[in-house]
């Protein structure tokens, strides 16, 4: 079922859809035109459509003729505040906005899969849900949660969920994934160090928050090297520091901001606790006070279900012209993680590095350029996953 020739027959249409969306990129929660295009296309395929789900989200439901499981496929739709620096005829028509993460390709590939699947409705098991999600790029307030709150994983209840991301770090025609944790949980922190201002010549009469900040920044690296199990991937970076106005004034306060990245909930909880206690106790030792805040509702770790991932790999390996590799965990984060908390499934990447076509920059770069020849493989992979996982026996 679903061979490459069928995906190739749709290739030009999928590329055209991608270019249309690429020219009209829309920022998070403003994906109005994109959602309209998606809903229109799904309707022409005879797929039932719900719009304005969790903001600008669109959900399609395709019922197969045979009994089986419910498989959800997700594509995110938002673009980034980046000015495109790639010379292509379908360059972004909107100043300062660009599909620099390739979400335009996700929408196009998922619509391609919807075309393939609807054509084969009579052979299809179960039901396929198409989740077109707003706002993946906004951190804690991403579109997956409002969509889940809007009921997309229920009625009918989703048995498996899959998400595909185009990748500027893997070569063209390569699928990359891994069982278990694949993307990190990002936790953003703010540390306010409150001292007491004074003259630079008399630090003993002041409480110097600049000095204390330096101690805290250094000591935080000890959380990585001395407090967290070395077998657990963990990163802590202080990326922003603000204090003071002049060379001889000790300021009242200093502000540090940074991020931590973890791959399991236990490490995540202890890392946050240690960051907080190190900053507070060290500040106290030097007569200052630290107020530590973590941003709430950050994305959880993206965890691929091991059994489902094994089956996904088998399915992907059968796609002619592609290669499937096991990738290392990625320190970036994804709110696809929230769907995986509701149903087993997998998040996987499709590479797009192709130096011959000038496709060498990573996602989020103003020079990110997609090798469009890979889109047919993405389309085919999504359709195949929906078909295979829809079978009544599920993971086999
Ligand atoms: Zn991104
Ligand atoms: Zn992305």
């Amino acid at each position: 079922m679903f061979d490459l020739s069928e995906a190739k027959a749709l290739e030009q249409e999928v590329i055209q859809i991608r270019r249309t969306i690429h020219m009209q990129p829309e920022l998070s929660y403003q994906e109005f035109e994109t959602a309209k295009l998606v809903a229109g296309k799904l309707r022409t395929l005879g797929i039932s459509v719900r719009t304005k789900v969790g903001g600008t989200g669109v959900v399609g439901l395709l019922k197969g003729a045979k009994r089986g499981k419910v498989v959800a496929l997700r594509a995110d739709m938002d673009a980034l505040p980046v000015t495109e620096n790639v010379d292509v005829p379908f360059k972004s028509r909107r100043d300062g906005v660009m599909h620099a993460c390739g979400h335009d390709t996700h929408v196009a590939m998922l619509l391609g899969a919807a075309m393939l699947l609807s054509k084969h409705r009579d052979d299809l098991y179960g039901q396929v849900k198409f989740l077109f999600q707003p706002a993946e790029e906004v951190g804690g307030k991403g579109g997956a949660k409002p969509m889940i709150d809007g009921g997309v994983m229920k009625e009918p209840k989703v048995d498996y969920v899959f998400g595909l991301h185009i990748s500027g770090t893997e070569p063209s025609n390569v699928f990359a994934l891994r069982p278990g944790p694949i993307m990190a949980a990002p936790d953003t922190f703010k540390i306010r160090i409150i001292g007491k201002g004074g003259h630079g010549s008399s630090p003993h009469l002041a409480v110097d928050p600049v000095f204390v900040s330096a101690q805290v920044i250094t000591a935080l690296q000890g959380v990585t090297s001395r407090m967290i199990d070395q077998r657990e991937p963990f990163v802590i970076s202080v990326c922003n520091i603000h204090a003071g106005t002049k060379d001889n004034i000790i300021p009242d306060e200093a502000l540090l901001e940074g991020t931590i990245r973890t791959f399991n909930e236990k490490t995540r909880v202890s890392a946050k606790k240690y960051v907080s206690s190190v900053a507070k106790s060290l500040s106290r030792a030097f007569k200052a006070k630290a107020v530590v805040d973590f941003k709430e509702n950050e994305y959880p770790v993206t965890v691929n279900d091991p059994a489902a991932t094994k089956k996904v790999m088998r399915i992907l390996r059968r796609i002619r012209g592609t290669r499937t590799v096991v990738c290392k965990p990625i320190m970036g984060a994804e709110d696809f993680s929230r769907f995986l908390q509701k149903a087993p499934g997998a998040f996987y990447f499709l590479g797009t590095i192709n130096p011959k076509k000038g496709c060498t920059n990573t996602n989020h770069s103003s020079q990110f350029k997609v090798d469009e020849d890979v889109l047919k493989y993405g389309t085919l992979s999504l359709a195949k996953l929906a078909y295979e996982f829809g079978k009544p026996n599920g993971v086999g």
Side-chain angles (χ1 to χ4, degrees):
M1 180 69 67
F2 304 116
D3 59 18
L4 192 56
S5 60
E6 275 187 276
K8 275 188 179 159
L10 299 172
E11 187 177 14
Q12 286 315 313
E13 191 177 353
V14 169
I15 290 174
Q16 213 41 60
I17 292 172
R18 185 257 160 163
R19 292 184 177 185
T20 302
I21 300 169
H22 192 85
M23 282 190 280
Q24 52 172 38
E26 296 172 295
L27 291 171
S28 305
Y29 288 120
Q30 296 169 36
E31 306 91 338
F32 305 110
E33 294 297 317
T34 310
K36 213 167 115 188
L37 182 152
V38 166
K41 184 70 199 172
L42 291 176
R43 284 193 186 106
T44 64
L45 298 172
I47 293 173
S48 71
V49 176
R50 254 176 82 201
T51 57
K52 297 187 184 140
V53 185
T56 48
V58 180
V59 181
L61 184 66
L62 174 67
K63 290 186 181 167
K66 304 183 202 172
R67 205 178 50 83
K69 306 269 184 190
V70 179
V71 180
L73 304 172
R74 173 270 210 168
D76 40 10
M77 304 190 287
D78 54 332
L80 286 162
V82 171
T83 300
E84 180 158 17
N85 193 10
V86 185
D87 209 10
V88 285
F90 51 93
K91 192 172 174 170
S92 167
R93 302 280 195 267
R94 295 204 167 115
D95 275 351
V97 187
M98 174 192 177
H99 267 292
C101 202
H103 298 184
D104 51 343
T105 68
H106 302 171
V107 174
M109 289 188 287
L110 188 51
L111 284 174
M115 291 182 229
L116 279 179
L117 289 161
S118 61
K119 211 175 105 194
H120 285 283
R121 187 189 295 244
D122 291 344
D123 306 306
L124 206 62
Y125 299 93
Q127 303 180 57
V128 186
K129 264 190 199 180
F130 301 91
L131 309 177
F132 290 90
Q133 181 204 307
E136 189 283 322
E137 297 283 4
V138 291
K141 294 195 172 63
K145 189 169 186 297
M147 280 196 99
I148 293 168
D149 293 345
V152 302
M153 296 301 273
K154 296 186 282 195
E155 291 167 36
K157 186 182 169 302
V158 171
D159 294 302
Y160 296 101
V161 62
F162 300 100
L164 169 61
H165 206 299
I166 199 102
S167 167
T169 51
E170 297 285 347
S172 280
N173 310 339
V174 167
F175 288 111
L177 71 163
R178 73 191 314 277
I182 182 162
M183 296 193 77
D187 283 290
T188 309
F189 60 83
K190 229 181 223 175
I191 303 174
R192 228 176 106 207
I193 294 174
I194 305 162
K196 193 176 132 211
H199 201 288
S201 63
S202 319
H204 62 291
L205 299 176
V207 175
D208 182 0
V210 175
F211 167 76
V212 177
S213 299
Q215 308 306 312
V216 169
I217 292 166
T218 309
L220 284 178
Q221 293 307 320
V223 175
T224 318
S225 65
R226 288 294 170 268
M227 297 171 94
I228 297 289
D229 185 339
Q230 293 302 292
R231 292 165 296 184
E232 289 292 337
F234 171 55
V235 169
I236 175 163
S237 295
V238 177
C239 301
N240 191 359
I241 159 164
H242 283 286
T245 51
K246 196 176 177 298
D247 50 43
N248 62 356
I249 303 173
I250 292 172
D252 285 319
E253 286 189 23
L255 184 69
L256 315 178
E257 286 182 302
T259 185
I260 64 180
R261 302 285 160 125
T262 49
F263 280 97
N264 81 46
E265 273 305 312
K266 229 178 99 201
T267 312
R268 183 184 198 183
V269 170
S270 31
K272 285 166 86 171
K273 203 176 75 199
Y274 293 145
V275 164
S276 188
S277 69
V278 165
K280 283 180 183 168
S281 47
L282 205 51
S283 300
R284 205 178 311 122
F286 291 105
K287 293 188 188 165
K289 187 183 160 203
V291 179
V292 183
D293 283 309
F294 280 91
K295 218 183 200 178
E296 284 182 6
N297 292 321
E298 295 283 23
Y299 297 166
V301 182
T302 306
V303 184
N304 282 345
D305 178 75
T309 303
K310 226 166 122 188
K311 181 166 171 174
V312 170
M313 285 182 168
R314 271 208 307 275
I315 295 165
L316 296 179
R317 286 199 168 114
R318 288 203 292 263
I319 298 180
R320 226 170 359 106
T322 69
R323 218 154 44 84
T324 299
V325 301
V326 178
C327 62
K328 290 193 174 139
I330 292 156
M331 284 294 174
E334 245 294 336
D335 72 346
F336 186 73
S337 49
R338 298 201 198 277
F339 295 114
L340 284 173
Q341 286 183 328
K342 299 289 171 194
F347 190 63
Y348 64 109
F349 295 94
L350 172 59
T352 180
I353 298 180
N354 189 340
K356 278 192 205 131
K357 296 179 190 164
C359 308
T360 51
N361 289 285
T362 59
N363 303 63
H364 286 214
S365 156
S366 64
Q367 294 179 58
F368 180 61
K369 189 179 170 194
V370 168
D371 174 3
E372 291 177 325
D373 288 341
V374 308
L375 301 186
K376 57 181 173 293
Y377 297 123
T379 298
L380 185 61
S381 68
L382 289 163
K384 274 182 170 292
L385 292 181
Y387 175 73
E388 295 292 340
F389 279 85
K391 291 178 179 172
N393 55 348
V395 180

